[in-house]
Amino acid sequence: FAFLTDVLSEVIEMFPSPYIHIGGDEVTKENWKSCAKCQDLMRREGLKNEHELQSYFIHRIEKIINARGRTLVGWSEIREGGLAPNAVLMDWIGGAVEAASSGHPVVLCPTSHAYFDYYQAEPDFQPKAIGGMITIKKVYSFRPVPSELKGEQRKLVLGGQGNLWTEYVST
């Protein structure tokens, strides 16, 4: 945590944004199950499972970020084990309604509408892509505010985002 405090302090100094995005998605927890240090920490902290271990980590990082006047942002998975108190959720696989319903701001970028590294038309006639297909019509049909949110909860939707991961982008 001392190392991460140093890194985050440098990042915060370099970037004036009120938000610091820490990722937190696609964390493989299998190794934690057999890691003696992880299991010992879980016992000491009264954590029930590896999801709560990740949440413990996210909560500690959030305190570092909040202490420097910034807000933590993380992907959908940061809610597993319990969402940090002041976190903003970047929802790509679900969780926006749950997060906003509990008072957390959200940005929606669902794989169903906002992943621009998917095919945009019939794959046989497109450059290689990661998979899936999202047409321009599908993209334009995206409405970032989920209909399940009502009243003040709707104001917690900060917006939408299109994602373009570049593993398959050749130029």
Side-chain angles (χ1 to χ4, degrees):
F1 284 102
F3 170 75
L4 293 172
T5 299
D6 290 345
V7 169
L8 288 167
S9 295
E10 288 183 28
V11 167
I12 287 168
E13 188 176 315
M14 289 175 14
F15 298 99
S17 168
Y19 302 105
I20 301 296
H21 199 306
I22 62 151
D25 63 320
E26 301 181 9
V27 176
T28 302
K29 297 170 184 72
E30 284 304 309
N31 290 337
W32 299 354
K33 292 177 182 180
S34 60
C35 171
K37 290 180 181 180
C38 292
Q39 294 301 311
D40 184 52
L41 177 61
M42 288 171 59
R43 276 189 294 282
R44 281 196 327 265
E45 295 296 327
L47 306 174
K48 296 179 191 119
N49 56 42
E50 289 72 22
H51 291 293
E52 286 189 8
L53 180 59
Q54 180 176 347
S55 181
Y56 170 84
F57 175 83
I58 300 294
H59 280 74
R60 294 251 333 239
I61 295 299
E62 182 185 55
K63 287 178 183 172
I64 295 166
I65 291 170
N66 290 168
R68 286 153 182 79
R70 305 300 174 82
T71 300
L72 179 143
V73 179
W75 292 111
S76 299
E77 292 92 332
I78 68 166
R79 73 188 200 290
E80 296 171 356
L83 190 54
N86 304 305
V88 174
L89 188 74
M90 295 278 299
D91 178 18
W92 71 286
I93 57 169
V97 171
E98 171 192 336
S101 295
S102 64
H104 290 272
V106 297
V107 175
L108 285 96
C109 46
T111 57
S112 61
H113 290 78
Y115 270 56
F116 300 150
D117 55 345
Y118 286 11
Y119 290 105
Q120 297 169 21
E122 180 58 43
D124 291 344
F125 304 102
Q126 296 288 300
K128 186 162 178 60
I130 198 164
M133 183 164 61
I134 299 177
T135 64
I136 193 80
K137 181 177 181 178
K138 182 80 169 182
V139 171
Y140 276 106
S141 74
F142 175 50
R143 300 292 174 257
V145 181
S147 60
E148 299 93 326
L149 297 178
K150 305 297 180 207
E152 292 298 309
Q153 294 173 345
R154 297 176 67 78
K155 294 179 182 175
L156 291 169
V157 176
L158 301 178
Q161 171 178 290
N163 295 324
L164 176 62
W165 309 112
T166 58
E167 295 96 329
Y168 292 88
V169 177
S170 60
T171 63

